[in-house]
Amino acid sequence: LEQHGHHLPIGQDVIQTAGVVEAAAKRDIELAFQAFVNDPLVDLGLDDARRLYDEMLRNTADYLGEYGVKKA
């Protein structure tokens, strides 16, 4: 399996996708963050990943109302 030029083991990709799906189904922003930081393509420390994730949430808040995300 190739994603953005990187070869990923199928098992890892399935686990990653399952985390994203679970976060969406539960409308759980923290589960979504866990899936985000566990993505092998996110090559950031935890603090930088949190800042980037929070910025992405703010920038897409108009589409995430049912997840409890409010515009800053």
Side-chain angles (χ1 to χ4, degrees):
L1 180 64
E2 188 170 324
Q3 182 177 4
H4 304 287
H6 298 279
H7 292 281
L8 301 174
I10 289 176
Q12 183 179 2
D13 185 58
V14 170
I15 290 168
Q16 175 62 26
T17 301
V20 171
V21 170
E22 180 182 8
K26 291 182 176 180
R27 293 189 169 104
D28 188 322
I29 293 298
E30 287 308 308
L31 272 179
F33 175 70
Q34 290 175 20
F36 174 71
V37 296
N38 287 320
D39 187 313
L41 299 177
V42 176
D43 189 23
L44 299 169
L46 196 55
D47 290 339
D48 287 337
R50 174 55 80 176
R51 279 191 289 277
L52 176 59
Y53 181 78
D54 289 345
E55 182 179 342
M56 290 188 305
L57 288 179
R58 283 190 305 275
N59 290 335
T60 57
D62 288 344
Y63 308 101
L64 299 173
E66 60 190 37
Y67 290 83
V69 176
K70 297 188 182 357
K71 252 189 156 168

